Amino acid sequence: MKETLHIVEPTLAGETGHELSFAESLWLAAGGAPVKVWAGRAARVPAPPPWVTVERHFVRPLRRLQAPLLYRRLLGRPGRILVATAARLDLISLGWAAGRREIPPGKVSLYFHWFRDSPSKRRTLERAARRHPGLVVLGPTPTVVDVFRACGFRHAEVAPYPITPVREGAPETPFRHLLFAGRARQDKGFARFVDLVELLSRRGESIPVTYQRAPDTGRYEEATRRDLARLDHLAYPGIRAEAEPLSAPAYAALFPGGICLQPYDAADFADRVSGVTLDALSAGCPVVALRGTWSARAVERFGAGGVVDDVSAETLLGAARRVIDGYAGFQAGARRGGAVLQEENDGRRLYEAVMAPRAPAPVTSR
């Protein structure tokens, strides 16, 4: 009987975001080995395979209290634990859950999508590495992982961000719209997207534009609510809002024929893998991204769109026009990139890293 993999993902609530595709890529990689997903209480997970159990466990206001209690339970059970979207608080919670016990090597893996460094955070990391040397820290890029290695983690490794599996190659599709995919957020440059729509409206353009929008604007930060109000005031005739939450098929249908605009914050996304970029390229959708971000490097690697040096409306529009004019070629680059990334970021790589045997730390004399 193969070991059970417990995937802890409190923010998994439905088909929106990348929490579900992250978990799905892992349970497909498990190939029939048991997987248990600890998700949000209202999680909607359509038809998981028979070897997957979804535990609707977390209540949003109580997540910080529930996580250490769940870790204590799981540490006493057989199987591996993967904290799918790890943060510093998870290291603290695991330390409390373990108590005086040392966490066995390989029992717990934490996947850090990114890490905002600071001296105080490094002190927390150093304490966790000393107390529990068997913890496995995984991240999508060397920049993320190197911080943990420097803080003393013996099992700190790069493991590719698992891509949403695509069963068929991306089709050739004519251009149909500019696209801002995913949740409207300031760090993802939503204000710059609104500036672009404002420019299109002022110039009397007719380029179609699509974005995602939740019916309840109270879910957004204040700056984003102001940006949504700006969009409503513009009444640009070429714009279409797709109501969140979208089903996985509806989300995937946004990309064919699109140009995915990613005016993401250069500091936050310098070495942060974008699930939206992976989805776009997998669908043969060219991307426009800011130079210096991980997404821009992917675009340049495959000739899959445009890279800009600033995210002003004029610059974004100029880049979008160049991609529209050469759409077939940029789409071909995106399709090539998607095929390569489907292999490089296959969920099997992360699954194998989590389930790999780990040797105990060497005993040192004191």
Side-chain angles (χ1 to χ4, degrees), residues 48-128:
W51 62 87
V52 176
T53 304
V54 178
E55 295 286 350
R56 294 169 176 83
H57 179 77
F58 289 96
V59 179
R60 185 167 184 169
L62 303 177
R63 287 174 187 166
R64 291 190 175 189
L65 296 174
Q66 289 178 295
L69 295 173
L70 177 61
Y71 293 149
R72 174 172 280 186
R73 286 170 57 191
L74 296 181
L75 285 172
R77 295 182 182 180
R80 304 291 183 101
I81 304 164
L82 170 63
V83 184
T85 306
R88 180 177 59 155
L89 182 60
D90 292 295
L91 291 170
I92 298 170
S93 296
L94 282 162
W96 177 88
R100 294 179 178 275
R101 298 172 297 169
E102 185 174 306
I103 297 174
K107 175 71 175 180
V108 180
S109 296
L110 301 102
Y111 195 86
F112 282 84
H113 297 240
W114 69 305
F115 189 79
R116 183 171 286 174
D117 202 359
S118 74
S120 64
K121 290 179 180 179
R122 289 209 176 209
R123 287 192 290 272
T124 301
L125 267 55
E126 289 165 354
R127 285 194 295 270

Side-chain angles (χ1 to χ4, degrees), residues 319-336:
R321 285 195 185 283
R322 287 190 291 275
V323 177
I324 292 171
D325 290 343
Y327 193 76
F330 290 115
Q331 184 181 70
R335 294 172 69 206
R336 287 193 303 271

